[in-house]
Amino acid sequence: MNAVIPVSVMVTGKGTVSSRIKGHYSRKRPSKFTEIFRPVIFWNITYKCNLRCSHCYIDATLSEKPGELNEEELLRIADDIVKHGIPLVVVTGGEPLASKKFWVLAEYLSSTKKPKWSLSTNGTLIDEDVATKLATLGVSYVGVSLDSVNPLEHDRFRGVRGAFEAAIRGIRESLAAGLDTGIRMTLTKTNIDGAHEILKMARDLGVQRVSLYLLDSIGRASNMLTEFPTHEQMKNLADKLIKESKTMEGEPEVLIVRGNFIGIYVADKLSRSREDFLEYLRMIGSQGDCGRKTLSIYPDGRVKPCQFLEQYTIGNLKTQKISDILSPRNKLLAPFLKVYEMLGGKKCSNCPFKIVCGGGSRNRAYIATGDFWGDDPLCFLNPLEIANKWNIDEEDVASVVDNHDIEV
C-alpha cells in the first residue's frame, strides 16, 4: 500500500495489525494480500473535516464540497468493489466520522465478507459510543493521526486547540472497545527526531502499530517545502527504528510510508548475504505503490493512483466501473504499473532498485525538479554503491519482483 516499508517486520519477522489483516508475511514469505488489479483502496468519502491540518493532502474543508458522492452512489460503488474482489478498503477523508455518509458505508461493508475495511481518522470524534459501534461493525483497524507527544505541537500542526487531547481519548476508547488501533505520524524536519517518543507513547498506551509518513508536497503541504526532513535525519530515523524494533520485538509494529528508498537502506543494514538482500527486496516489492496494488477514490468519484497523487486522474466511478479502471486496457493507469520505465531523473532512471522503489514521490520530484518523472529530493541513497556491495544489477532485482513485466 502507498509505498509501505514494514521496518519492524523486516527486523523481527513478526507483525501485529498487518498479520491479522493480510496474514503472516516475512522476508522469506512476502505478502500475497494484494494483486496488481485487486489493490487496496483508500476511499476519501468526504472533504469535510473538523480540523485544519497544515499538511492536508486533500485540502479538506469544514463542510462538504459540491459534487461529492451521495449515499446512493457510495453504495453502488461499494457493491462494485465487493464484486471485483478488492481485499481491503481504507475509509478516510477529510474526516470520515464528520460525515453521516460514513455510517451508511460502514453498515454496508460490515454486511459483506469481503473486503476487509479499516478507518483512517484524526481520532477526535471517537468517544465510547462511536468506538463500540465501530467494533460492532467489524472494522479491522483504526489509525489515528498523532504528530507529536507535545500537545501544543500537535494542536499547532492540526490547526485546532484540544486536538491532541481528543485524539488520545479516541485512541483509548478504540483500544477499550477491543479494536486494533494505530498511530499515524507525518514526519517533518521539525518533529522527525521525536518519532522515538511516539513509539514509546504507543507502547505505553498499548497501541499495536505506528505508521510514519514522510511529508509529501500535495494539497496544503505544497506550502511546506522547507519542512522536508534532511537526509541525515532520515538515516538516523532508520537506524533508530531498526534498533527500537529489536528492543521492542516488533510491538508495536512500525512502518514507514512514502519512502521506499528507506526500505532499501534498511535491507542493506540487515542483510548478511546477497541472498538475504534479494529476499528483503522481494519483500519490499510485494508491498506495492501508487497505482500498483493501491489506488484512491476521491469524494467526487475521481480515481487516483493513490491519495498522494492528486494531479493524475485514472478514471471516474460516477461513470465507470472499478473493472474499467483496474484493467491493463486503461491507458491512464499504465504509467503507474510500470513507473520504473517512466523515471527520467538522472539518479532514479539509472538506479538498479527502481523496480522496487518506484522512484519515491512524484509530487516531491515535481516540486524539486519541475519534472513529474524526475528525482525525489528526499532519496539519500548511493544506489550503485549498495548494488556493487551485494554484486547485483537491475536484472537481479527484476527477477525477485512479481508482475514487474505485466503487459499493459
Side-chain angles (χ1 to χ4, degrees), residues 59-358:
D59 197 12
T61 54
L62 294 175
S63 59
E64 293 184 358
K65 291 184 180 181
E68 289 192 15
L69 298 169
N70 59 37
E71 293 179 5
E72 182 180 349
E73 290 171 319
L74 283 175
L75 293 178
R76 175 180 56 77
I77 293 169
D79 186 61
D80 191 24
I81 286 172
V82 170
K83 290 177 180 177
H84 193 76
I86 296 299
L88 175 67
V89 172
V90 181
V91 182
T92 182
E95 171 49 50
L97 292 174
S99 173
K100 294 179 181 178
K101 293 182 292 187
F102 168 77
W103 296 110
V104 175
L105 180 60
E107 291 275 1
Y108 177 82
L109 292 174
S110 73
S111 70
T112 64
K113 292 184 177 180
K114 288 186 177 181
K116 295 180 178 180
W117 71 283
S118 67
L119 173 64
S120 181
T121 173
N122 61 44
T124 62
L125 300 179
I126 301 178
D127 57 18
E128 182 179 356
D129 289 342
V130 168
T132 300
K133 191 171 182 180
L134 288 172
T136 301
L137 292 173
V139 65
S140 297
Y141 171 69
V142 176
V144 177
S145 298
L146 201 68
D147 299 301
S148 175
V149 298
N150 182 327
L152 293 178
E153 280 300 304
H154 176 82
D155 290 358
R156 179 190 62 80
F157 201 52
R158 295 286 162 175
V160 173
R161 185 177 297 178
F164 178 88
E165 182 180 349
I168 293 295
R169 180 198 64 195
I171 291 170
R172 292 186 188 279
E173 294 291 359
S174 297
L175 290 168
L179 296 169
D180 273 352
T181 306
I183 290 173
R184 294 167 24 262
M185 179 184 185
T186 298
L187 299 174
T188 70
K189 72 176 184 182
T190 303
N191 70 357
I192 188 171
D193 296 331
H196 68 286
E197 296 175 325
I198 288 285
L199 293 184
K200 183 179 185 303
M201 173 180 279
R203 191 170 178 110
D204 290 345
L205 287 168
V207 163
Q208 297 100 341
R209 186 188 215 187
V210 175
S211 300
L212 303 171
Y213 285 69
L214 289 183
L215 180 69
D216 213 333
S217 52
I218 180 173
R220 290 200 284 271
S222 61
N223 298 316
M224 298 177 64
L225 307 185
T226 60
E227 281 296 309
F228 286 145
T230 68
H231 288 185
E232 193 62 30
Q233 283 180 314
M234 288 185 288
K235 284 183 184 178
N236 289 339
L237 172 69
D239 291 336
K240 286 180 180 178
L241 293 182
I242 291 172
K243 181 179 179 180
E244 291 293 331
S245 293
K246 291 177 180 177
T247 300
M248 298 185 298
E249 299 182 332
E251 294 185 12
E253 182 176 30
V254 181
L255 306 94
I256 292 178
V257 188
R258 306 301 296 148
N260 273 6
F261 45 84
I262 296 180
I264 296 166
Y265 177 84
V266 173
D268 178 49
K269 289 288 185 178
L270 294 177
S271 297
R272 295 293 176 266
S273 67
R274 182 176 186 272
E275 181 182 357
D276 285 352
F277 187 66
L278 287 172
E279 286 179 345
Y280 280 121
L281 293 185
R282 181 185 294 113
M283 181 182 181
I284 295 168
S286 72
Q287 299 297 307
D289 207 339
C290 286
R292 187 180 175 88
K293 300 190 178 184
T294 179
L295 60 77
S296 175
I297 303 173
Y298 266 48
D300 57 6
R302 289 176 297 156
V303 179
K304 310 289 183 176
C306 70
Q307 72 237 71
F308 298 102
L309 278 181
E310 198 281 334
Q311 61 269 64
Y312 265 83
T313 298
I314 60 174
N316 194 317
L317 288 171
K318 280 194 172 182
T319 57
Q320 295 175 284
K321 289 185 175 294
I322 197 76
S323 57
D324 298 327
I325 298 168
L326 290 172
S327 165
R329 297 183 296 276
N330 183 359
K331 293 182 179 180
L332 297 173
L333 174 63
F336 299 96
L337 297 179
K338 289 191 172 185
V339 66
Y340 49 89
E341 292 184 353
M342 304 297 296
L343 299 174
K346 183 178 180 181
K347 184 175 184 178
C348 285
S349 64
N350 292 295
C351 178
F353 307 112
K354 62 185 179 182
I355 294 175
V356 167
C357 178

